[in-house]
């Protein structure tokens, strides 16, 4: 569904208002994974299960160990999420510890990215970029460089599927490709058909047969599908003629997306936890979401804890105006997103950017996936029953029926902005395995 035009918004409370698409992609559960080929394919995103690795030599097993109890942890999610216009295949792996004593301690959730150079796609990408350069160089001035981390630049591409960056699939009804991409599709369809099998072979994961990873604890695997996030459009307030409200915080240049929902500016007074209220309201529009993915976007904080205060710091106090107007009112500045507190990549020293976050419903899905009858009953829930279940999970009032379980509110994952594939000595390598930063918000 395309975003609506602001000019079509109505001041009437009775008139229905269409939904607005945001720049966030939502990961939702989509059935148990049973196919052996999918379980072994690193390009198939999943909740739970055993990892399907990209590097030809599997990573060291301690990568999955909890930093508190040193026990091997279960895989929470594995996501196929290559950067746009990158020759590297890429997958993100997140492990979590369910031991009660380890909860609320740093190191019980760990995230790693696996990279592998894809020769077949690298050659295709080089050819594609050369064609684009040849088209624009003679007659047009140089255009500003596009953000290499923006997912919208490639039609129908998602961080959890192969997308058209590899197979040039037909764009979906909800995507509108740039005009220059259409020409590329016309010239590359036949080439794409001939290389599909080769690319699939290039991305095939290494086997876990006779591996220590095979004995690792795991939840039953569930497919992780994606959809765009849609939110109800905000109605324009009824104001007297000639009066308008201008809020620069809520009006950044975000193309056609509904930016008022993603600016995430927060009041300084947090007597009532408005952060948690905004979280539950936003999540309530799609209660099944287990992952929110917005590369170089803005995380959705769970509560006003120390993590929130580091990512949304207090703004500097404005100087008191010295005027004769005794009743001058200066509106208080709001907290705005500032990721400068996130440590840079220790390998290439580049800044880290927000990539995705795990949502409370993921815990619910991992618990339910171990019980086939419970999973079937969950699918039969009405929208109202599902909404209440999500609310219980958000408030921490649901029961796992077990002495083991995770208790976090959300896990924020920050990755190297350059997605570097470097050895410890700084030299480029064809495969890489690097740990990234996870910030955990535990409760309200």
């Amino acid at each position: 569904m395309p975003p609506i035009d602001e000019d079509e918004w109505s001041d009437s409370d009775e008139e229905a208002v269409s939904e607005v698409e945001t720049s966030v992609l939502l990961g939702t559960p989509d059935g148990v994974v049973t196919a052996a080929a999918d379980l072994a394919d690193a390009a198939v995103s999943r909740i739970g299960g055993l990892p399907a690795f990209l590097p030809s030599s599997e990573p060291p097993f301690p990568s999955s160990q909890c930093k508190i109890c040193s026990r091997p942890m279960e895989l929470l999610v594995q996501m196929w999420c290559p950067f746009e216009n990158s020759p590297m295949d890429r997958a993100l792996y997140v492990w979590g510890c369910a031991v009660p004593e380890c909860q609320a301690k740093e190191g019980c959730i760990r995230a790693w990215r696996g990279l592998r150079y894809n020769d077949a796609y690298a050659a295709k990408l080089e050819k594609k970029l050369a064609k684009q350069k040849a088209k624009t160089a003679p007659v047009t001035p140089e255009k500003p460089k596009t953000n290499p981390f923006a997912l919208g630049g490639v039609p129908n591409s998602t961080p959890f599927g192969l997308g058209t960056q590899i197979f040039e699939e037909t764009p979906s009804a909800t995507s509108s490709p740039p005009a220059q991409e259409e020409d590329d599709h016309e010239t590359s369809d036949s080439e794409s058909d001939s290389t599909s099998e080769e690319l699939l072979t290039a991305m095939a994961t290494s086997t876990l047969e006779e591996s220590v990873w095979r004995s690792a604890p795991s939840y039953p695997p569930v497919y992780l599908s994606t959809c765009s996030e849609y939110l109800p459009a905000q109605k324009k307030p009824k104001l007297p003629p000639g009066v308008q409200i201008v809020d620069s915080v809520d009006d950044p240049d975000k193309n056609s997306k509904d930016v008022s929902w993603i600016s995430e500016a927060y009041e300084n007074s947090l007597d009532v936890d408005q952060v948690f209220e905004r979280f539950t309201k936003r999540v309530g529009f799609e209660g099944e979401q287990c992952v929110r993915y917005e590369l170089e976007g803005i995380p959705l904080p769970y509560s006003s804890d120390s993590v929130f205060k580091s990512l949304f710091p207090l703004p500097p106090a404005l100087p008191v105006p010295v005027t004769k107007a005794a009743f001058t009112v200066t509106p208080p500045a709001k907290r705005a997103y500032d990721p400068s507190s996130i440590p840079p990549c220790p390998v290439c020293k580049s800044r880290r950017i927000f990539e995705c976050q795990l949502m409370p419903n993921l815990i619910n899905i991992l618990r339910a996936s171990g019980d086939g009858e419970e999973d079937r009953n969950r699918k039969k829930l009405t929208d109202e029953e599902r909404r209440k279940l999500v609310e219980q999970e958000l408030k921490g009032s649901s029961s796992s029926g077990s002495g083991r379980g995770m208790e976090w509110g959300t896990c924020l994952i920050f990755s190297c902005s350059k997605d570097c594939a470097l050895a410890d000595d700084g030299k480029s390598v064809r495969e890489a395995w690097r740990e990234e930063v996870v910030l955990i918000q535990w409760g309200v």
Side-chain angles (χ1 to χ4, degrees):
M1 180 186 301
I4 65 171
D5 189 338
E6 288 187 5
D7 295 336
E8 297 178 358
W9 288 13
S10 171
D11 292 338
S12 173
D13 292 335
E14 286 74 25
E15 186 173 342
V17 181
S18 300
E19 292 182 326
V20 177
E21 181 183 4
T22 75
S23 54
V24 178
L25 290 172
L26 303 179
T28 59
D30 196 18
V32 178
V33 183
T34 57
D38 288 346
L39 291 172
D41 191 349
V44 176
S45 298
R46 77 285 306 267
I47 296 170
L50 293 174
F53 293 117
L54 275 172
S56 56
S57 57
E58 61 185 40
F61 188 70
S63 299
S64 67
Q65 290 179 348
C66 174
K67 290 185 177 180
I68 294 93
C69 67
S70 299
R71 299 175 185 173
M73 301 184 289
E74 289 90 349
L75 181 70
L76 303 184
V77 291
Q78 174 177 334
M79 293 176 284
W80 172 254
C81 44
F83 278 12
E84 182 183 348
N85 289 334
S86 169
M88 305 296 292
D89 293 336
R90 183 177 187 272
L92 190 67
Y93 307 79
V94 186
W95 281 273
C97 182
V99 176
E101 292 76 16
C102 298
Q103 302 306 297
K105 297 178 182 178
E106 184 179 354
C108 69
I109 306 288
R110 301 178 68 180
W112 295 76
R113 59 182 170 94
L115 301 176
R116 184 172 66 184
Y117 191 83
N118 188 321
D119 291 286
Y121 182 59
K124 183 178 179 181
L125 179 62
E126 184 178 0
K127 189 175 181 180
K128 174 185 174 182
L129 296 178
K131 286 182 180 179
Q132 292 179 345
K133 184 177 180 181
K135 285 181 183 179
T136 58
V139 293
T140 59
E142 183 179 357
K143 296 181 179 180
K145 293 181 179 180
T146 58
N147 182 354
F149 314 120
L151 297 175
V154 179
N156 201 33
S157 65
T158 74
F160 311 107
L162 298 179
T164 53
Q165 69 267 44
I166 296 179
F167 293 112
E168 301 289 349
E169 295 172 350
T170 304
S172 66
T174 59
S175 62
S176 52
Q180 67 267 24
E181 291 290 337
E182 295 178 1
D183 295 336
D184 292 337
H185 290 174
E186 294 175 2
T187 58
S188 62
D189 283 343
S190 59
E191 177 185 354
S192 176
D193 293 339
S194 64
T195 58
S196 294
E197 183 176 353
E198 179 183 1
L199 292 173
L200 278 172
T201 303
M203 290 183 298
T205 180
S206 58
T207 179
L208 290 179
E209 295 295 337
E210 299 180 358
S211 166
V212 65
W213 288 96
R214 182 62 70 181
S215 60
S218 64
Y219 298 103
V222 175
Y223 286 109
L224 183 66
S225 297
T226 57
C227 60
S228 296
E229 181 186 46
Y230 290 94
L231 302 174
Q234 300 183 71
K235 298 177 182 179
K236 289 182 177 179
K238 294 181 180 180
L239 300 172
V243 177
Q244 63 178 356
I245 296 176
V246 178
D247 189 347
S248 60
V249 174
D250 289 340
D251 191 27
D253 182 13
K254 285 281 188 176
N255 300 324
S256 60
K257 302 297 185 182
D258 180 36
V259 297
S260 62
W261 283 98
I262 62 177
S263 59
E264 302 301 356
Y266 292 84
E267 302 291 345
N268 296 335
S269 175
L270 299 173
D271 295 336
V272 176
D273 198 339
Q274 60 150 312
V275 179
F276 180 71
E277 291 181 355
R278 292 182 67 168
F279 183 92
T280 54
K281 181 177 180 180
R282 180 85 175 254
V283 174
F285 294 118
E286 177 46 76
E288 285 287 284
Q289 60 183 280
C290 296
V291 176
R292 295 176 63 84
Y293 192 101
E294 188 185 13
L295 189 62
E296 204 169 10
I298 300 175
L300 179 64
Y302 179 76
S303 64
S304 55
D305 60 1
S306 59
V307 172
F308 168 79
K309 292 174 183 177
S310 67
L311 295 176
F312 295 82
L314 277 171
L318 296 175
V320 178
V322 181
T323 65
K324 293 182 179 181
F327 300 102
T328 300
V329 177
T330 303
K334 296 181 179 181
R335 293 175 179 261
Y337 178 58
D338 180 4
S340 59
S341 61
I342 303 299
C345 174
V347 183
C348 69
K349 310 305 178 185
S350 300
R351 66 187 180 95
R352 280 192 170 107
I353 55 176
F354 172 72
E355 182 169 3
C356 63
Q357 66 187 99
L358 308 185
M359 306 301 287
N361 191 45
L362 175 62
I363 300 175
N364 208 34
I365 297 302
L366 291 171
R367 288 171 180 164
S369 63
D371 187 333
E373 184 62 30
E374 183 179 351
D375 189 47
R376 286 190 292 272
N377 291 336
R378 184 182 61 81
K379 293 180 180 179
K380 296 177 183 179
L381 295 177
T382 64
D383 290 342
E384 179 64 18
E385 290 171 334
R386 185 178 295 109
R387 182 185 65 80
K388 290 182 179 179
L389 184 63
V390 171
E391 286 182 352
Q392 290 175 353
E393 191 65 46
L394 289 174
K395 295 176 182 178
S397 58
S398 62
S399 174
S400 64
S402 169
R404 275 183 105 240
M406 293 170 289
E407 300 176 354
W408 41 263
T410 189
C411 302
L412 313 177
I413 299 172
F414 298 81
S415 304
C416 172
S417 59
K418 289 189 176 180
D419 201 30
C420 64
L422 302 174
D424 293 335
D425 59 4
K427 295 182 179 179
S428 297
V429 292
R430 293 176 60 86
E431 298 180 350
W433 180 253
R434 292 294 177 187
E435 187 167 14
E436 295 294 7
V437 170
V438 179
L439 298 183
I440 311 171
Q441 293 191 281
W442 295 99
V444 294

